[in-house]
Amino acid sequence: MANTETSLKEAASIDGAIGAALVDYTSGMALGTIGGGKELDLNVAAAANTDVVRAKVRAMEMLGLNDEIEDILITLGRHYHLIRLLKGRGANGLFLYLALDKDRANLAMARHQLKKIENELEV
């Protein structure tokens, strides 16, 4: 099992990664970040993407969908923003956020690697 720091380092090593964060969507706070810099403020992204997750959870409730969100993909002109809700012991209310450069990333591989990171993360 990997801790937060190790998991974020693994996420940052994904081809095309700009930055990654582990976020508590009940508070909107980033519990850990890596990368980002001038191009992307990960603390602002954590708070903003919390609103995205909350909106999708509300929409599912309103629609009566009895299902779980695996991930949420936001495609921009130059980036992919991938939000992976964590499941399992101690991970309720958390998500991994990964920003990728579209020109350097393989989205399918990034999703696969983020799922693997989720499975190894011990919160």
Side-chain angles (χ1 to χ4, degrees):
M1 291 294 177
N3 65 19
T4 299
E5 183 180 349
T6 301
S7 295
L8 290 174
K9 285 180 182 176
E10 287 181 34
S13 73
I14 294 172
D15 287 342
I18 297 167
L22 177 64
V23 184
D24 175 352
Y25 70 81
T26 58
S27 69
M29 299 294 295
L31 304 177
T33 63
I34 190 166
K38 294 178 193 173
E39 187 174 0
L40 181 66
D41 184 327
L42 289 169
N43 288 307
V44 172
N49 283 301
T50 293
D51 291 337
V52 171
V53 171
R54 288 177 184 163
K56 188 59 190 171
V57 168
R58 266 194 322 276
M60 289 178 60
E61 288 171 357
M62 290 169 57
L63 292 168
L65 299 177
N66 188 21
D67 209 343
E68 295 179 339
I69 300 170
E70 285 186 19
D71 55 37
I72 299 169
L73 170 64
I74 300 168
T75 305
L76 304 177
R78 295 187 331 243
H79 298 155
Y80 294 123
H81 292 239
L82 191 54
I83 300 166
R84 178 141 192 112
L85 276 70
L86 303 184
K87 298 167 190 67
R89 186 172 45 100
N92 198 21
L94 301 179
F95 67 86
L96 280 168
Y97 167 72
L98 177 65
L100 299 159
D101 180 308
K102 274 175 89 170
D103 292 334
R104 298 183 299 124
N106 177 323
L107 183 57
M109 282 303 297
R111 289 183 70 220
H112 175 73
Q113 290 171 294
L114 206 55
K115 183 177 182 177
K116 180 179 177 283
I117 292 167
E118 172 200 3
N119 290 335
E120 295 173 357
L121 176 62
E122 181 71 35
V123 183

